[in-house]
Amino acid sequence: MKNPELATGDIEVQATKLAVVGPAATPAIPVARGKGEELPAEELRLKYRHLDLRRPEMQANLMLRHRLLQRARRTLSELEFVEIETPILTKPTPEGARDYLVPSRVHPGEFYALPQSPQIYKQLLMVAGFDQPEFTQIDLEASFVGMDDVLGYVEAVLVDLWDEGGHTIARPFPRMTWREAMERYGTDKPDLRYDLPIVDWTAQVKPLGVPFFESALRDGARVRGLAVKGGGALSRKDVDQLADAAKQLGGAGLAWVKRQGEQISGSVGKHFTAEALGGIGVGDGDVGLMTVGPDRVTSPVLHRVRQEVIQRLGVKPKIAHAFTWVVDFPLFEPDPETGKPVFAHHPFTAPHPDDVARLETDPFSCRALHYDAVDNGNELGSGSIRITDPAVQRRVFAHLGLSSVEIDARFGFLLNGLQAGAPPHGGFAIGFDRTTMLLAGAGSLRDVIAFPKTTTARALFEGAPSPANPADLAELHLEVKP
């Protein structure tokens, strides 16, 4: 009997003998899923990962991951990159994430760090004369390059990866500055599949005398909003939920005005005429959604509202994959508590050459030679041109509040390397797990990693982390305090 649900459904097997080659307990979770059957809870799937990995969907994800890795290696090799392994035990450095520490068995009281990336080692390899680019996994570095060169390398890899996943992507990718992305989309990871930009309406609404806006238009606050084509289909419940989302993100709320024929309604509808609505791009059957405040508040609010509106209205994307580069990021950003400069990405990113003179007087206005690759609102990876002048590197470290003694203690080996003469160099790291997840159409990064951790950094299958043996702790000169 044929079974169209199976790949081997045209083959019928008639057993003449049955031999047990190994005992097996009843599986704790199903290893096959029929049509319409729900998956077990993710926590169970992670706890019994050896069973979960039997599912055809998981095996297909890992096979895709394998093909993508091989394609990336082949592409980079064809571009004359050299694969070099860098240490996995190194010195703690502030690269944007907290390191795990590994105690030394032979040096009591001293620790290694598990590095988040091989960043410093990549730079030192450039100093060592590897003018051919270098990459570890998909973390690449190249000497005697500028930003355009690095973006070209990365585009070649991404186009080939998407080709391996069955998608044809055109290059070169368009570019936009960080400031433009924040202004038009409220995020540095814009989803460009949809035509729904954020617009500054301050000048248009100021003469209307809307109380909701007048009380807040001070200290650099602006009225910004979205002119939603066909937004008249949004219900009052939809708008109320959007307003709640805006308040949850710290916004003042969400004002709205809807036009249907000659009828104008909404929370601020009485202040608008058809002509005024036309001035902000709201036509018949449309809705205007707006908020007021400083950009640091209105940008994330309107980004969230934009996403929600697209989903609620079922807006069709104009293109399947909208790749873009976001460039000219700020070099520093203010610490939320102290207001002092902290590095926006990592402290080895070179300042824009036009802005170096302002490092001391106006650090927040300095742009970085940093770039992100974005597809459909997902960041695929980041990179930058690096600082090669040890004096500039010291100035950046000083802006982060490090003393000369601390700089030498923590980064002396890097500065010594730069003083030997560093070629201009830059690099990029592709988020390979996320790339694989997107191409597999998976709902979670954990679905494309064989043995992943939970969001609380636990390995449920292996039962890690776990308490250490007291004898092992004594050998490492460690004591665990309750």
Side-chain angles (χ1 to χ4, degrees):
M1 181 182 294
K2 291 186 177 183
N3 185 349
E5 301 297 324
L6 295 176
T8 57
D10 288 340
I11 302 172
E12 187 168 347
V13 176
Q14 292 183 342
T16 59
K17 184 179 178 181
L18 177 66
V20 177
V21 296
T26 301
I29 61 173
V31 296
R33 182 168 56 142
K35 269 191 174 181
E37 290 182 358
E38 293 290 330
L39 285 172
E42 186 178 53
E43 187 170 330
L44 283 174
R45 290 174 50 214
L46 294 178
K47 185 175 181 180
Y48 300 100
R49 193 62 164 180
H50 59 303
L51 299 176
D52 192 46
L53 288 174
R54 293 182 182 178
R55 290 192 297 115
E57 307 99 293
M58 293 299 299
Q59 296 198 1
N61 288 349
L62 294 180
M63 287 301 296
L64 173 63
R65 182 186 180 96
H66 163 74
R67 296 203 321 270
L68 293 174
L69 273 173
Q70 298 308 308
R71 184 68 177 266
R73 280 191 161 92
R74 186 164 73 246
T75 299
L76 286 167
S77 183
E78 290 170 355
L79 290 169
E80 299 185 351
F81 280 68
V82 178
E83 185 167 4
I84 297 177
E85 292 77 26
T86 54
I88 60 172
L89 293 177
T90 186
K91 189 173 187 175
T93 58
E95 295 182 33
R98 296 174 65 182
D99 292 324
Y100 280 95
L101 296 179
V102 179
S104 169
R105 289 185 179 277
V106 296
H107 301 289
E110 298 183 0
F111 298 82
Y112 299 99
L114 294 175
Q116 302 297 319
S117 79
Q119 177 57 51
I120 291 180
Y121 289 107
K122 292 193 304 173
Q123 291 188 242
L124 291 173
L125 282 165
M126 301 300 100
V127 175
F130 279 88
D131 57 344
Q132 294 288 346
E134 170 270 335
F135 79 93
T136 301
Q137 296 179 6
I138 311 187
D139 198 330
L140 61 91
E141 200 81 8
S143 287
F144 300 102
V145 295
M147 183 177 73
D148 290 344
D149 301 300
V150 178
L151 268 53
Y153 292 139
V154 176
E155 284 183 6
V157 175
L158 291 176
V159 167
D160 278 0
L161 290 179
W162 256 253
D163 178 70
E164 191 68 35
H167 307 277
T168 300
I169 306 299
R171 54 179 298 209
F173 301 165
R175 302 181 190 181
M176 70 170 57
T177 66
W178 174 86
R179 191 169 298 281
E180 180 186 358
M182 297 301 294
E183 179 68 20
R184 291 176 57 80
Y185 302 101
T187 176
D188 55 11
K189 296 177 278 292
D191 189 344
L192 303 182
R193 291 175 294 172
Y194 307 97
D195 290 322
L196 187 57
I198 298 168
V199 183
D200 182 355
W201 287 337
T202 308
Q204 290 90 333
V205 304
K206 203 167 186 178
L208 303 180
V210 183
F212 177 72
F213 299 139
E214 285 190 326
S215 60
L217 279 174
R218 58 180 181 273
D219 298 331
R222 297 191 293 163
V223 177
R224 301 168 73 200
L226 299 162
V228 184
K229 300 300 179 186
L234 292 170
S235 67
R236 177 60 186 267
K237 181 180 178 181
D238 286 326
V239 176
D240 288 344
Q241 290 174 342
L242 292 173
D244 289 342
K247 290 177 181 176
Q248 289 172 7
L249 291 172
L254 195 67
W256 62 283
V257 57
K258 182 186 294 187
R259 180 181 175 186
Q260 293 173 307
E262 296 302 315
Q263 183 181 359
I264 298 174
S265 59
S267 62
V268 292
K270 66 181 181 180
H271 300 281
F272 282 85
T273 63
E275 182 180 358
L277 288 176
I280 61 173
V282 177
D284 188 11
D286 301 341
V287 69
L289 303 172
M290 58 200 90
T291 190
V292 62
D295 292 355
R296 59 181 171 79
V297 174
T298 59
S299 285
V301 164
L302 290 172
H303 168 56
R304 171 74 175 278
V305 170
R306 181 178 184 266
Q307 289 180 305
E308 289 282 340
V309 165
I310 289 169
Q311 182 179 2
R312 289 170 187 266
L313 291 178
V315 181
K316 301 297 182 186
K318 62 183 181 180
I319 188 173
H321 290 281
F323 283 82
T324 190
W325 288 106
V326 179
V327 301
D328 285 354
F329 280 78
L331 186 64
F332 297 105
E333 58 190 13
D335 183 281
E337 295 181 1
T338 66
K340 294 181 179 179
V342 294
F343 52 87
H345 291 91
H346 62 60
F348 317 112
T349 299
H352 194 289
D354 294 344
D355 300 343
V356 173
R358 297 200 300 276
L359 266 177
E360 304 297 338
T361 58
D362 191 7
F364 291 125
S365 72
C366 294
R367 294 166 293 169
L369 292 180
H370 179 98
Y371 30 82
D372 281 2
V374 177
D375 170 47
N376 297 356
N378 298 289
E379 180 188 318
L380 300 178
S382 297
S384 67
I385 300 300
R386 320 302 189 188
I387 296 172
T388 55
D389 184 338
V392 173
Q393 186 67 80
R394 282 185 177 276
R395 289 164 67 188
V396 170
F397 286 148
H399 269 300
L400 303 178
L402 298 177
S403 68
S404 295
V405 173
E406 290 174 317
I407 291 170
D408 288 329
R410 297 172 69 175
F411 299 103
F413 67 108
L414 170 65
L415 294 169
N416 288 339
L418 295 180
Q419 286 168 354
H425 59 277
F428 194 87
I430 295 173
F432 185 72
D433 292 335
R434 182 172 300 279
T435 295
T436 306
M437 180 190 76
L438 293 173
L439 286 170
S444 166
L445 291 173
R446 290 182 284 278
D447 286 338
V448 296
I449 301 171
F451 298 100
K453 305 291 188 290
T454 67
T455 53
T456 57
R458 288 198 171 274
L460 297 182
F461 175 59
E462 306 95 309
S466 59
N469 186 300
D472 293 335
L473 291 175
E475 185 181 356
L476 293 169
H477 306 276
L478 294 176
E479 178 184 355
V480 177
K481 293 185 177 181

